[in-house]
Amino acid sequence: MPRICIVPRVDGLAGVASFRLKFENGLCARGVDVTHDTSEPSDVILVLAGTKHLLPLWRARSRGQRIVQRLDGINWVHRVRWAGLRYTIRAIYGNWNLSFIRSRLTDKVIYQSQFIKRWWEDWYRPARVPSSVIVNGVDLTQYTPDGLHERPSMHYRLLIVEGSMAGGLNSGLFSAVELANQLARKYKIELTIVGRVDSRTKNRLKDQTAFRIHFMDTVKREHIPWLMRSSHLLFSAEVNPPCPNSVIEALACGLPVIGFATGSLSELVQGDAGRLAPYGANQWKLHQPNVPALADAADEVLQDNDRFRKSAREHAEENLGLERMVEKYLEILL
């Protein structure tokens, strides 16, 4: 039986933890064994972004063990705005850790999107080893338009699902509030925000009169498909998103996606799976975006929501299935 060592063993509800769980489930379904101990025999080590346990990884490489690194985006917000001392230190160390593994330890790099590949090669020069791009996938039987939902019929629910929008990462929330305000001139709107938001930002946003705002903090992973089926639009709030799982999951649930055409969104949201608007300013400086253009995009989707919902699911079935992603990884890993 082939065996793949996956490090680090990240737990949680989103991001790397979400990928690890669904990827390991896909491996087990194919009879591939998984370990998280680099000292155990394995065919290959897959590093999920970075790890603080560099010495065991170095020893494995010294033994001739093959190492593949799966890379996310680069921490950058701290370069533009103050996000707190803890975040800044973690961001700087995280970038060093990722780039060290990429330049010194890995035999191959897998980027999650073309945007991430270009980003890394622009900021840190091309890797010395071969690289590939594999977009994230989703379990199309778990994330599906079919199933229970409570989609409102008397108003439109605009959904945001992000891991964290606290501190310096909150710029997308202010765009969401402005978007909801503009849509509220024509529609009855509810803005539902799933993810960690600091209390200071909540206090700045909660007193809205034109629309209802609902903070849900974090929710269980198994609750997400129901919530997406119960909404009309997903707004991808992150600026320059590397390869957001929430977008892929929304499309699989038949939930159209809107956002600004930054990061990897143009790779994920194609055709009538949603609509993207030009940012209209320098997003790398977090300048004020063109929210009226975003509102126009959202208006187009709301006016023909059923057609966009159908197209979102079709796009996910054709391009974003978990089976497809796992097979591509196995071609490289084994």
Side-chain angles (χ1 to χ4, degrees), residues 119-137:
W119 193 2
W120 273 97
E121 292 181 350
D122 182 39
W123 286 25
Y124 289 90
R125 293 187 290 188
R128 59 174 179 77
V129 296
S131 64
S132 299
V133 173
I134 304 178
V135 174
N136 292 339

mmCIF file of all heavy atoms in Angstrom, residues 119-137:
data_model
loop_
_atom_site.group_PDB
_atom_site.id
_atom_site.type_symbol
_atom_site.label_atom_id
_atom_site.label_comp_id
_atom_site.label_asym_id
_atom_site.label_seq_id
_atom_site.Cartn_x
_atom_site.Cartn_y
_atom_site.Cartn_z
ATOM 1 N N TRP A 119 2.710 35.153 -8.289
ATOM 2 C CA TRP A 119 3.032 35.949 -7.098
ATOM 3 C C TRP A 119 4.358 35.525 -6.498
ATOM 4 O O TRP A 119 5.242 36.347 -6.233
ATOM 5 C CB TRP A 119 1.875 35.770 -6.108
ATOM 6 C CG TRP A 119 1.838 36.713 -4.956
ATOM 7 C CD1 TRP A 119 2.674 37.747 -4.686
ATOM 8 C CD2 TRP A 119 0.878 36.684 -3.890
ATOM 9 N NE1 TRP A 119 2.306 38.369 -3.513
ATOM 10 C CE2 TRP A 119 1.210 37.739 -3.010
ATOM 11 C CE3 TRP A 119 -0.214 35.882 -3.599
ATOM 12 C CZ2 TRP A 119 0.471 37.987 -1.857
ATOM 13 C CZ3 TRP A 119 -0.950 36.131 -2.450
ATOM 14 C CH2 TRP A 119 -0.608 37.174 -1.591
ATOM 15 N N TRP A 120 4.509 34.213 -6.267
ATOM 16 C CA TRP A 120 5.747 33.710 -5.690
ATOM 17 C C TRP A 120 6.946 33.970 -6.609
ATOM 18 O O TRP A 120 8.025 34.349 -6.143
ATOM 19 C CB TRP A 120 5.623 32.216 -5.381
ATOM 20 C CG TRP A 120 5.049 31.955 -4.028
ATOM 21 C CD1 TRP A 120 3.756 31.675 -3.705
ATOM 22 C CD2 TRP A 120 5.779 31.975 -2.794
ATOM 23 N NE1 TRP A 120 3.618 31.516 -2.345
ATOM 24 C CE2 TRP A 120 4.843 31.696 -1.758
ATOM 25 C CE3 TRP A 120 7.103 32.190 -2.447
ATOM 26 C CZ2 TRP A 120 5.200 31.630 -0.419
ATOM 27 C CZ3 TRP A 120 7.468 32.125 -1.104
ATOM 28 C CH2 TRP A 120 6.522 31.852 -0.107
ATOM 29 N N GLU A 121 6.750 33.768 -7.886
ATOM 30 C CA GLU A 121 7.870 33.952 -8.801
ATOM 31 C C GLU A 121 8.235 35.423 -8.955
ATOM 32 O O GLU A 121 9.400 35.754 -9.228
ATOM 33 C CB GLU A 121 7.538 33.330 -10.158
ATOM 34 C CG GLU A 121 7.463 31.808 -10.084
ATOM 35 C CD GLU A 121 7.148 31.165 -11.423
ATOM 36 O OE1 GLU A 121 6.807 31.918 -12.374
ATOM 37 O OE2 GLU A 121 7.238 29.926 -11.523
ATOM 38 N N ASP A 122 7.284 36.307 -8.763
ATOM 39 C CA ASP A 122 7.548 37.736 -8.840
ATOM 40 C C ASP A 122 8.280 38.232 -7.593
ATOM 41 O O ASP A 122 9.242 38.999 -7.684
ATOM 42 C CB ASP A 122 6.231 38.492 -9.031
ATOM 43 C CG ASP A 122 6.438 39.990 -9.163
ATOM 44 O OD1 ASP A 122 7.426 40.402 -9.807
ATOM 45 O OD2 ASP A 122 5.634 40.760 -8.599
ATOM 46 N N TRP A 123 7.833 37.776 -6.428
ATOM 47 C CA TRP A 123 8.412 38.269 -5.175
ATOM 48 C C TRP A 123 9.664 37.502 -4.747
ATOM 49 O O TRP A 123 10.543 38.069 -4.097
ATOM 50 C CB TRP A 123 7.370 38.209 -4.060
ATOM 51 C CG TRP A 123 6.301 39.259 -4.151
ATOM 52 C CD1 TRP A 123 5.874 39.904 -5.284
ATOM 53 C CD2 TRP A 123 5.528 39.796 -3.085
ATOM 54 N NE1 TRP A 123 4.874 40.791 -4.990
ATOM 55 C CE2 TRP A 123 4.631 40.755 -3.646
ATOM 56 C CE3 TRP A 123 5.477 39.552 -1.718
ATOM 57 C CZ2 TRP A 123 3.715 41.467 -2.877
ATOM 58 C CZ3 TRP A 123 4.557 40.258 -0.951
ATOM 59 C CH2 TRP A 123 3.692 41.216 -1.517
ATOM 60 N N TYR A 124 9.718 36.219 -5.075
ATOM 61 C CA TYR A 124 10.836 35.392 -4.606
ATOM 62 C C TYR A 124 11.576 34.682 -5.739
ATOM 63 O O TYR A 124 12.344 33.770 -5.491
ATOM 64 C CB TYR A 124 10.324 34.341 -3.604
ATOM 65 C CG TYR A 124 9.920 34.929 -2.272
ATOM 66 C CD1 TYR A 124 8.619 35.363 -2.053
ATOM 67 C CD2 TYR A 124 10.834 35.053 -1.233
ATOM 68 C CE1 TYR A 124 8.233 35.902 -0.833
ATOM 69 C CE2 TYR A 124 10.466 35.578 -0.004
ATOM 70 C CZ TYR A 124 9.162 36.006 0.187
ATOM 71 O OH TYR A 124 8.788 36.542 1.406
ATOM 72 N N ARG A 125 11.311 35.057 -6.973
ATOM 73 C CA ARG A 125 11.924 34.469 -8.159
ATOM 74 C C ARG A 125 11.441 33.020 -8.352
ATOM 75 O O ARG A 125 10.975 32.382 -7.418
ATOM 76 C CB ARG A 125 13.451 34.524 -8.081
ATOM 77 C CG ARG A 125 13.976 35.950 -8.143
ATOM 78 C CD ARG A 125 15.477 35.987 -8.241
ATOM 79 N NE ARG A 125 16.140 35.559 -7.010
ATOM 80 C CZ ARG A 125 17.457 35.653 -6.817
ATOM 81 N NH1 ARG A 125 18.230 36.144 -7.777
ATOM 82 N NH2 ARG A 125 17.985 35.252 -5.681
ATOM 83 N N PRO A 126 11.530 32.498 -9.569
ATOM 84 C CA PRO A 126 11.070 31.126 -9.828
ATOM 85 C C PRO A 126 11.792 30.107 -8.962
ATOM 86 O O PRO A 126 12.980 30.267 -8.644
ATOM 87 C CB PRO A 126 11.386 30.925 -11.317
ATOM 88 C CG PRO A 126 11.369 32.310 -11.890
ATOM 89 C CD PRO A 126 11.919 33.196 -10.811
ATOM 90 N N ALA A 127 11.086 29.060 -8.590
ATOM 91 C CA ALA A 127 11.673 28.010 -7.763
ATOM 92 C C ALA A 127 12.753 27.275 -8.549
ATOM 93 O O ALA A 127 12.710 27.206 -9.783
ATOM 94 C CB ALA A 127 10.586 27.036 -7.310
ATOM 95 N N ARG A 128 13.698 26.696 -7.822
ATOM 96 C CA ARG A 128 14.790 25.960 -8.468
ATOM 97 C C ARG A 128 14.345 24.569 -8.889
ATOM 98 O O ARG A 128 15.110 23.832 -9.530
ATOM 99 C CB ARG A 128 15.965 25.847 -7.492
ATOM 100 C CG ARG A 128 15.573 25.128 -6.205
ATOM 101 C CD ARG A 128 16.725 24.862 -5.268
ATOM 102 N NE ARG A 128 16.253 24.210 -4.062
ATOM 103 C CZ ARG A 128 15.934 22.929 -3.973
ATOM 104 N NH1 ARG A 128 16.021 22.161 -5.049
ATOM 105 N NH2 ARG A 128 15.512 22.410 -2.838
ATOM 106 N N VAL A 129 13.120 24.181 -8.534
ATOM 107 C CA VAL A 129 12.616 22.835 -8.805
ATOM 108 C C VAL A 129 11.366 22.935 -9.682
ATOM 109 O O VAL A 129 10.769 24.012 -9.810
ATOM 110 C CB VAL A 129 12.282 22.090 -7.488
ATOM 111 C CG1 VAL A 129 13.543 21.880 -6.666
ATOM 112 C CG2 VAL A 129 11.235 22.863 -6.684
ATOM 113 N N PRO A 130 10.936 21.835 -10.303
ATOM 114 C CA PRO A 130 9.718 21.871 -11.125
ATOM 115 C C PRO A 130 8.496 22.259 -10.292
ATOM 116 O O PRO A 130 8.440 22.029 -9.088
ATOM 117 C CB PRO A 130 9.600 20.437 -11.650
ATOM 118 C CG PRO A 130 10.970 19.864 -11.535
ATOM 119 C CD PRO A 130 11.588 20.514 -10.333
ATOM 120 N N SER A 131 7.514 22.838 -10.966
ATOM 121 C CA SER A 131 6.301 23.258 -10.267
ATOM 122 C C SER A 131 5.074 22.942 -11.112
ATOM 123 O O SER A 131 5.162 22.783 -12.331
ATOM 124 C CB SER A 131 6.340 24.759 -9.951
ATOM 125 O OG SER A 131 6.352 25.519 -11.145
ATOM 126 N N SER A 132 3.924 22.850 -10.428
ATOM 127 C CA SER A 132 2.644 22.602 -11.083
ATOM 128 C C SER A 132 1.589 23.467 -10.403
ATOM 129 O O SER A 132 1.796 23.970 -9.294
ATOM 130 C CB SER A 132 2.238 21.127 -10.977
ATOM 131 O OG SER A 132 3.177 20.287 -11.598
ATOM 132 N N VAL A 133 0.463 23.631 -11.071
ATOM 133 C CA VAL A 133 -0.677 24.344 -10.507
ATOM 134 C C VAL A 133 -1.858 23.390 -10.432
ATOM 135 O O VAL A 133 -2.238 22.786 -11.431
ATOM 136 C CB VAL A 133 -1.055 25.574 -11.365
ATOM 137 C CG1 VAL A 133 -2.354 26.205 -10.851
ATOM 138 C CG2 VAL A 133 0.070 26.598 -11.355
ATOM 139 N N ILE A 134 -2.396 23.212 -9.234
ATOM 140 C CA ILE A 134 -3.590 22.388 -9.037
ATOM 141 C C ILE A 134 -4.579 23.198 -8.202
ATOM 142 O O ILE A 134 -4.333 23.497 -7.029
ATOM 143 C CB ILE A 134 -3.272 21.057 -8.324
ATOM 144 C CG1 ILE A 134 -2.210 20.273 -9.090
ATOM 145 C CG2 ILE A 134 -4.547 20.229 -8.169
ATOM 146 C CD1 ILE A 134 -1.805 18.965 -8.405
ATOM 147 N N VAL A 135 -5.694 23.550 -8.810
ATOM 148 C CA VAL A 135 -6.722 24.320 -8.118
ATOM 149 C C VAL A 135 -7.432 23.428 -7.108
ATOM 150 O O VAL A 135 -7.602 22.220 -7.318
ATOM 151 C CB VAL A 135 -7.732 24.883 -9.136
ATOM 152 C CG1 VAL A 135 -8.892 25.570 -8.447
ATOM 153 C CG2 VAL A 135 -7.029 25.862 -10.059
ATOM 154 N N ASN A 136 -7.833 23.998 -5.998
ATOM 155 C CA ASN A 136 -8.531 23.237 -4.966
ATOM 156 C C ASN A 136 -9.830 22.646 -5.500
ATOM 157 O O ASN A 136 -10.447 23.184 -6.419
ATOM 158 C CB ASN A 136 -8.833 24.128 -3.761
ATOM 159 C CG ASN A 136 -7.578 24.545 -3.028
ATOM 160 O OD1 ASN A 136 -6.539 23.900 -3.139
ATOM 161 N ND2 ASN A 136 -7.647 25.637 -2.297
ATOM 162 N N GLY A 137 -10.257 21.552 -4.888
ATOM 163 C CA GLY A 137 -11.498 20.902 -5.262
ATOM 164 C C GLY A 137 -12.411 20.741 -4.064
ATOM 165 O O GLY A 137 -12.052 21.040 -2.928
#
